[in-house]
Amino acid sequence: MNAINILSKSTMKLPSRVLSLRNASFLGLRYSFNPPCCEEKLTCKSKAILLIFNQNSQFHAYPSRFLGFQRILNNTQRLYCLPSSGFAQPRAVSRPYRVSVEARVASRVRDLSTSVETRVNDKNFERIFVQDGINVKPLVVERIDKDESIVGGDQVPLTEDENNVNNIRVGLEEGKAGISVEIDIEKEAWDLLRGAVVTYCGTPVGTVAANDPADKLPLNYDQVFIRDFLPSALAFLLKGEGEIVKNFLLHTLQLQSWEKTVDCYSPGQGLMPASFKVRTVPLDDNKFEEVLDPDFGESAIGRVAPVDSGLWWIILLRAYGKITGDYALQERVDVQTGIKLILNLCLADGFDMFPSLLVTDGSCMIDRRMGIHGHPLEIQALFYAALRCSREMLTVNDGSKNLVRAINNRLSALSFHIREYYWVDMKKINEIYRYKTEEYSLDAINKFNIYPEQIPSWLMDWIPGEGGYLLGNLQPAHMDFRFFTLGNLWSVVSSLGTPKQNEAILNLIEAKWDDIVGQMPLKICYPAVENEEWRIITGCDPKNTPWSYHNGGSWPTLLWQFTLACIKMGRLELAQKAVSLAEKRLAIDRWPEYYDTRAGKFIGKQSRLYQTWTIAGFLTSRLMLENPEMASLLFWEEDYELLEICVCALSKSGRKKCSRGAAKSQILV
Ligand code: GLC
């Protein structure tokens, strides 16, 4: 069946939701790296030419300029493409697809100059094939015990994956019961991690969020989450297995270009999905086809946009280059464009008065209402890290030099803002305690009009003499004094904090070990919100009850970021202590997503088991401790040049003193 045939037949079924493609990914740039899906019906010739195109193209362009065909989603959000040449209007097809580009199109593209505009309406770019079906290969995983196949009298025959996980579980139960079963935790973790690998058209592209065969209601935990994949990716990279990471980066890049809509409104083009799923769709003749099905928040609980996804993607792209030495990936034109699209979204001018990024509640790891709307530390720290990554990776030329300048300015302003206004230690609390309010002037000390009564009583007793931390959030008349672990750790890792602050953050964790680590590393935030505060802040969320889940629950996945921060600050003993705590329980408890209670004593109330980022976080921590030098590729030292940048007009006019200049001596050391 030829491509056009499929398309015209398929126009019969019109899907209910419409998404359109604003990206030039169909030019072949983004798919040519991964040809297996094209093998059945598309010729090898076209693949070869596409690869040549990849290497030679000087095609510097924003893909958004290549309009001309639409993608149509049906209610399972499948993506389809159709050529506009030959059709008067973009049309809908309701069959899954694989994109490739006709050979002669690719060879034409190869000859393009760097100018893009003149090509916008060139219909030849839009000839796209619908990919034929393939049979989906089952995952091949190593069995621990070949004879054990069904556990607990389950009547439903189990898949090979399920058997594998169950075999491991049986082994653990036996171990718990005192029967001497030597369990190599690391081996088990690797088996589970490999069992969580998701393939697309025969190649590995990510890992599912959780892989518990007993879970009959996985919701979206059977998807590949961008943020969850980070520790998996690092474990694979540190083990010398880069392919899955490269595939992940390129496939998610492809998804970035979708135009997504929630009730007819579209977020920005650079948005990366929170997660994606590989769906298998039956075709004629007992064949199957796989489709990538992303979720940008339009299906997510609360409909939150995952602001952190793009930032994690950039961070992973740099890590991939650093660890594998394959810098060619980040130099690719489509990858450079992907970075720019994310940055354009983050750096877009708005109403902001601050250099920090303004987001809604739940736009990061804490992906439901927890009172972190505004300028939460987690997003600021990841934003800072992503800006530092981008600065290293962007190819500087006429097309990117303004962006690079904007990045430098933002890095400088953001670090000043966070260092100066988010920092809390004993001294600072005492200052806030004595704040005057309602100060109207440029010289106000209490710039955000914080009423001292806001200092929570727990903090007065809790703050240690040694150490300090960065606030969870800062808004007009609002300081969120909760300690958020991920944001603080990434401030250390990215050097968003000053060297002294970074040291003090680890000192605080050490001093408050029982509260932040307890029996399972590490608390997502401290303390939990309770009673009336819980009602107001979470909206009475039964999952986020005090000391559970996002509300003071303990998340073992945070271990790898803690380990990284400790390695950076030369505190290996702290990381080792945390890893051995985790080691005692994780495998026995079946790798839970999170733990509950003040000390992290119980497996979380609604915690998933066999949670991939718990497993991968543990492995990555171990690998980094074994090879701290390799880990050092993943963090940043202070950048003294950045500290010098100040673009504010005050320094030029001489009318007023620049507040950054005045504060510099205290904060920037
Ligand atoms: C939960 C977490 C989120 C994670 C997802 C998949 O929603 O809050 O951070 O990405 O589960 O594991």
Side-chain angles (χ1 to χ4, degrees):
M1 198 185 308
N2 75 29
I4 300 300
N5 261 345
I6 296 175
L7 291 171
S8 26
K9 271 200 206 157
S10 306
T11 51
M12 302 300 287
K13 284 190 254 163
L14 271 177
S16 57
R17 299 178 61 193
V18 178
L19 298 187
S20 67
L21 179 71
R22 294 189 292 188
N23 196 298
S25 49
F26 56 88
L27 285 172
L29 278 165
R30 290 187 172 183
Y31 264 86
S32 55
F33 70 96
N34 185 15
C37 251
C38 311
E39 273 164 12
E40 281 210 353
K41 292 279 159 135
L42 294 175
T43 63
C44 292
K45 195 172 146 210
S46 62
K47 276 188 282 171
I49 291 175
L50 284 168
L51 286 169
I52 293 166
F53 167 51
N54 262 347
Q55 286 155 9
N56 296 347
S57 172
Q58 292 298 307
F59 190 73
H60 295 276
Y62 270 36
S64 54
R65 299 188 180 141
F66 289 86
L67 303 174
F69 71 88
Q70 285 193 309
R71 298 200 215 190
I72 312 290
L73 275 193
N74 67 7
N75 49 14
T76 61
Q77 296 175 282
R78 283 176 213 135
L79 174 71
Y80 306 98
C81 284
L82 69 164
S84 62
S85 56
F87 293 99
Q89 293 291 321
R91 293 187 204 176
V93 287
S94 54
R95 295 185 61 174
Y97 89 121
R98 273 282 300 170
V99 185
S100 187
V101 183
E102 204 177 31
R104 66 183 174 80
V105 179
S107 57
R108 273 209 58 193
V109 174
R110 213 175 39 211
D111 301 331
L112 284 176
S113 72
T114 53
S115 156
V116 180
E117 277 82 356
T118 53
R119 308 287 170 178
V120 170
N121 294 318
D122 189 336
K123 294 288 190 288
N124 280 335
F125 288 128
E126 299 162 0
R127 293 179 70 83
I128 291 155
F129 287 118
V130 172
Q131 162 62 25
D132 238 355
I134 57 150
N135 289 313
V136 187
K137 272 202 236 148
L139 287 167
V140 181
V141 278
E142 196 183 335
R143 261 172 195 266
I144 283 186
D145 178 353
K146 289 200 178 89
D147 299 331
E148 287 279 353
S149 57
I150 295 177
V151 177
D154 197 339
Q155 295 307 302
V156 187
L158 299 180
T159 64
E160 193 169 353
D161 282 348
E162 289 171 335
N163 279 330
N164 191 46
V165 171
N166 277 335
N167 290 338
I168 289 162
R169 193 184 320 145
V170 168
L172 287 168
E173 294 301 325
E174 285 170 0
K176 237 185 358 187
I179 302 165
S180 86
V181 179
E182 236 334 82
I183 301 160
D184 179 344
I185 295 181
E186 209 159 304
K187 179 175 183 312
E188 179 197 319
W190 271 111
D191 286 343
L192 290 168
L193 182 60
R194 294 196 196 287
V197 167
V198 171
T199 57
Y200 174 59
C201 300
T203 47
V205 290
T207 47
V208 282
N211 201 14
D212 180 2
D215 187 356
K216 298 291 172 242
L217 202 74
L219 293 176
N220 51 355
Y221 281 84
D222 60 355
Q223 305 208 4
V224 180
F225 278 75
I226 309 298
R227 71 175 77 83
D228 292 41
F229 185 64
L230 256 286
S232 299
L234 293 176
F236 286 120
L237 286 175
L238 292 170
K239 192 95 173 152
E241 298 171 31
E243 192 209 348
I244 184 170
V245 182
K246 184 176 181 180
N247 293 340
F248 169 89
L249 287 165
L250 289 170
H251 279 291
T252 45
L253 178 65
Q254 173 67 21
L255 298 174
Q256 177 195 37
S257 57
W258 285 36
E259 187 179 307
K260 32 272 167 186
T261 35
V262 176
D263 299 337
C264 307
Y265 184 75
S266 305
Q269 192 186 355
L271 187 68
M272 281 281 184
S275 60
F276 66 86
K277 190 174 166 67
V278 178
R279 295 194 193 279
T280 307
V281 183
L283 293 174
D284 308 335
D285 311 328
N286 275 337
K287 283 189 174 174
F288 292 90
E289 187 160 56
E290 289 181 316
V291 290
L292 286 183
D293 183 4
D295 177 12
F296 292 93
E298 74 273 23
S299 313
I301 298 163
R303 300 291 187 263
V304 275
V307 178
D308 65 338
S309 286
L311 306 174
W312 281 124
W313 184 88
I314 290 178
I315 292 168
L316 182 58
L317 179 65
R318 173 187 179 269
Y320 172 84
K322 283 273 176 189
I323 297 177
T324 62
D326 172 12
Y327 292 102
L329 183 73
Q330 55 187 252
E331 285 160 12
R332 279 172 53 151
V333 177
D334 55 340
V335 174
Q336 290 278 314
T337 303
I339 302 173
K340 288 176 193 165
L341 286 175
I342 296 169
L343 293 180
N344 282 351
L345 256 189
C346 295
L347 297 171
D349 288 335
F351 291 103
D352 305 295
M353 298 289 283
F354 314 130
S356 42
L357 208 57
L358 179 63
V359 297
T360 56
D361 215 343
S363 57
C364 52
M365 176 187 181
I366 296 178
D367 57 3
R368 47 209 278 158
R369 189 172 155 192
M370 266 301 291
I372 56 163
H373 50 271
H375 302 90
L377 180 66
E378 176 173 336
I379 290 289
Q380 312 318 321
L382 295 177
F383 181 33
Y384 188 79
L387 287 174
R388 288 201 71 168
C389 294
S390 307
R391 192 159 160 257
E392 288 175 31
M393 294 189 295
L394 277 174
T395 312
V396 185
N397 53 33
D398 282 352
S400 66
K401 63 174 195 272
N402 287 343
L403 183 60
V404 173
R405 193 175 308 127
I407 291 172
N408 282 326
N409 291 342
R410 193 62 170 258
L411 276 168
S412 161
L414 182 60
S415 75
F416 176 81
H417 184 81
I418 301 290
R419 290 167 177 202
E420 173 82 346
Y421 304 123
Y422 279 58
W423 184 248
V424 201
D425 57 10
M426 186 103 115
K427 181 166 162 269
K428 183 69 180 286
I429 294 175
N430 207 157
E431 262 169 43
I432 300 170
Y433 183 70
R434 290 167 51 78
Y435 265 168
K436 292 186 185 60
T437 55
E438 325 292 336
E439 292 176 281
Y440 178 86
S441 81
L442 279 174
D443 301 322
I445 306 241
N446 181 4
K447 289 199 174 73
F448 303 95
N449 203 33
I450 306 299
Y451 299 102
E453 290 73 13
Q454 253 177 58
I455 304 173
S457 50
W458 65 264
L459 184 62
M460 299 291 230
D461 301 329
W462 192 74
I463 193 82
E466 287 285 297
Y469 68 100
L470 294 164
L471 283 174
N473 206 340
L474 177 66
Q475 309 261 69
H478 173 67
M479 277 183 171
D480 185 341
F481 287 98
R482 283 175 290 174
F483 173 87
F484 284 86
T485 305
L486 184 53
N488 272 283
L489 292 179
W490 270 88
S491 301
V492 175
V493 168
S494 65
S495 277
L496 173 57
T498 68
K500 272 190 187 161
Q501 288 173 342
N502 296 338
E503 213 177 299
I505 290 171
L506 289 189
N507 288 342
L508 178 123
I509 295 179
E510 189 179 21
K512 293 290 162 186
W513 189 264
D514 291 346
D515 292 327
I516 296 171
V517 180
Q519 297 186 24
M520 178 53 66
L522 294 108
K523 281 255 154 47
I524 197 166
C525 65
Y526 180 90
V529 290
E530 304 188 64
N531 307 318
E532 202 47 28
E533 240 187 340
W534 166 78
R535 297 172 71 80
I536 297 166
I537 288 178
T538 72
C540 304
D541 186 343
K543 218 174 161 183
N544 277 334
T545 50
W547 307 107
S548 182
Y549 201 44
H550 301 142
N551 188 10
S554 301
W555 290 66
T557 190
L558 293 170
L559 189 60
W560 74 268
Q561 348 227 11
F562 180 58
T563 305
L564 186 56
C566 288
I567 294 175
K568 172 175 171 185
M569 302 308 295
R571 305 292 300 272
L572 255 75
E573 79 295 346
L574 274 188
Q576 259 142 4
K577 204 169 135 191
V579 171
S580 25
L581 263 178
E583 202 169 82
K584 280 196 196 118
R585 294 187 62 191
L586 285 183
I588 292 175
D589 292 346
R590 288 169 287 165
W591 308 94
E593 179 187 17
Y594 65 95
Y595 285 77
D596 284 358
T597 77
R598 269 174 182 273
K601 202 167 167 181
F602 296 125
I603 298 172
K605 213 173 14 181
Q606 294 187 44
S607 170
R608 284 333 203 248
L609 300 178
Y610 302 104
Q611 181 81 19
T612 306
W613 68 352
T614 299
I615 300 163
F618 171 75
L619 284 173
T620 298
S621 298
R622 277 249 187 125
L623 287 162
M624 288 193 301
L625 283 173
E626 279 161 23
N627 194 347
E629 231 166 78
M630 200 58 126
S632 72
L633 299 173
L634 303 172
F635 56 70
W636 294 260
E637 297 298 343
E638 178 76 300
D639 183 331
Y640 290 96
E641 261 175 41
L642 276 178
L643 303 182
E644 299 306 319
I645 302 174
C646 174
V647 289
C648 89
L650 290 176
S651 49
K652 281 164 210 134
S653 72
R655 188 173 65 89
K656 281 265 164 236
K657 244 182 144 185
C658 160
S659 57
R660 279 178 53 178
K664 213 166 163 180
S665 55
Q666 311 163 34
I667 205 75
L668 299 181
V669 276

